[in-house]
């Protein structure tokens, strides 16, 4: 019995922490992360299965997830933050997931002219709180921001003419428009504010070896076509 107990103790010390320590978090940003899933969630779950760990991803409102991944209690893996200078030191950047463009979006039924920085003087720009869109729009000269919690609110406000433009990732705008029950064809892509890459990020307390292990898994998923297949399934549009 002692020998058997010793074996179990050794097995636990070798395998237990690797299999159960990491917590998977999604920051809600449609279409990449939603309460029902999304492209980034699907990629993270497949990576977790290949890593031999629990593939459950808990989805939180965007700001809560971003803050949680910096708190004690990790290590955490987080999808899909955009990598910006303001966030660079707060996380470890494991691997890129997909490219995205943050743009000014208009509604062609309200205004047929694509929105631009120069046309936003005195105009109200819709943004989601603590998003990349908010950060970018705040640097537009003489801009005024309407800050909301959900992108679907911006979609509705744009359709009603309550905001002059919407600063948002293009794929996010398309999904939010669908969820708001509004025609995607009404959206008008305006000036590109920034091109970015969305990432799988890790909390600072994850070991370098674990970061590298997850990085290798994502690299293999890209090479074997898994990520391309998931992008097709989730109607991802290369901006």
């Amino acid at each position: 019995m002692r020998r058997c107990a010793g074996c179990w103790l050794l097995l636990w010390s070798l395998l237990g922490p690797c299999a159960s320590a990491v917590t998977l978090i999604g920051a809600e940003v449609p279409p990449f992360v939603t309460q029902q899933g999304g492209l980034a969630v699907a990629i993270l779950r497949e990576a977790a299965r290949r890593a031999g760990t629990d593939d459950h991803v808990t989805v939180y409102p965007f700001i809560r997830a971003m803050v949680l991944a910096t708190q004690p209690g990790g290590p955490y893996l987080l999808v899909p933050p955009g990598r910006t200078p303001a966030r660079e030191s707060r996380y470890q950047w494991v691997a890129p997931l997909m490219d995205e463009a943050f743009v000014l979006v208009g509604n062609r039924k309200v205004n047929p002219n694509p929105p631009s920085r120069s046309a936003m003087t005195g105009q109200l720009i819709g943004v989601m709180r603590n998003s990349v869109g908010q950060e970018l729009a705040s640097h537009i000269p003489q801009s005024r921001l309407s800050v909301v919690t959900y992108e679907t609110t911006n979609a509705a406000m744009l359709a009603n003419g309550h905001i002059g433009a919407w600063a948002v990732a293009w794929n996010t705008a398309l999904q939010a428009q669908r969820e708001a029950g509004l025609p995607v064809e009404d959206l008008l892509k305006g000036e590109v504010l920034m091109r970015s890459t969305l990432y799988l990020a890790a909390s600072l307390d994850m070991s370098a070896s674990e970061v590298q292990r997850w990085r290798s898994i994502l690299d293999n998923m890209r090479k074997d076509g898994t990520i391309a297949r998931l992008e097709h399934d989730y109607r991802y549009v290369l901006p």
Side-chain angles (χ1 to χ4, degrees):
M1 290 293 292
R2 283 183 202 166
R3 182 177 178 184
C4 182
C7 290
W8 278 110
L9 183 60
L10 177 61
L11 184 62
W12 172 255
S13 68
L14 292 174
L15 300 180
C18 178
S20 61
V22 65
T23 300
L24 309 182
I25 298 174
E28 191 167 16
V29 180
F32 305 114
V33 175
T34 71
Q35 290 295 333
Q36 293 72 40
L39 174 57
V41 172
I43 292 173
L44 180 54
R45 292 191 65 197
E46 175 59 25
R49 285 190 284 268
R50 297 188 185 199
T53 191
D54 186 358
D55 70 348
H56 176 71
V57 179
T58 303
V59 175
Y60 296 99
F62 183 83
I63 182 172
R64 184 179 175 190
M66 297 294 287
V67 172
L68 179 59
T70 66
Q71 301 301 304
Y76 300 102
L77 283 171
L78 170 70
V79 290
R83 189 171 184 174
T84 67
R87 296 173 181 168
E88 184 68 29
S89 63
R90 301 187 68 192
Y91 311 95
Q92 299 185 77
W93 301 93
V94 181
L97 298 179
M98 68 281 296
D99 293 324
E100 184 56 288
F102 291 86
V103 297
L104 288 175
V105 178
N107 187 297
R108 65 180 74 253
K109 288 186 176 178
V110 177
N111 186 340
N113 300 310
S116 64
R117 287 182 177 92
S118 60
M120 286 297 103
T121 301
Q123 295 287 318
L124 198 59
I125 303 174
V127 297
M128 186 176 73
R129 187 179 306 279
N130 286 342
S131 67
V132 174
Q134 180 180 3
E135 183 179 340
L136 294 171
S138 68
H139 296 296
I140 297 176
Q142 299 181 348
S143 63
R144 296 188 301 126
L145 304 187
S146 169
V147 184
V148 300
T149 303
Y150 300 103
E151 295 289 20
T152 49
T153 304
N154 282 322
M157 292 178 69
L158 185 69
N160 293 329
H162 294 158
I163 54 177
W166 176 13
V168 63
W170 181 239
N171 280 275
T172 299
L174 296 174
Q175 180 64 21
Q177 186 82 346
R178 295 186 191 103
E179 291 185 358
L182 297 167
V184 171
E185 300 77 26
D186 290 353
L187 293 185
L188 187 62
K189 186 190 293 185
E191 185 174 351
V192 174
L193 301 176
M194 184 182 75
R195 296 192 181 277
S196 180
T197 300
L198 305 183
Y199 269 76
L200 169 63
S203 54
L204 297 179
D205 55 2
M206 178 173 279
S207 70
S209 60
E210 271 295 277
V211 169
Q212 184 56 50
R213 187 167 79 99
W214 286 85
R215 184 175 291 136
S216 297
I217 290 170
L218 266 292
D219 185 53
N220 289 334
M221 288 173 59
R222 193 166 297 282
K223 288 178 179 177
D224 68 19
T226 299
I227 291 179
R229 175 180 57 79
L230 290 172
E231 288 176 344
H232 177 269
D233 291 347
Y234 282 86
R235 297 195 290 180
Y236 165 72
V237 177
L238 183 66

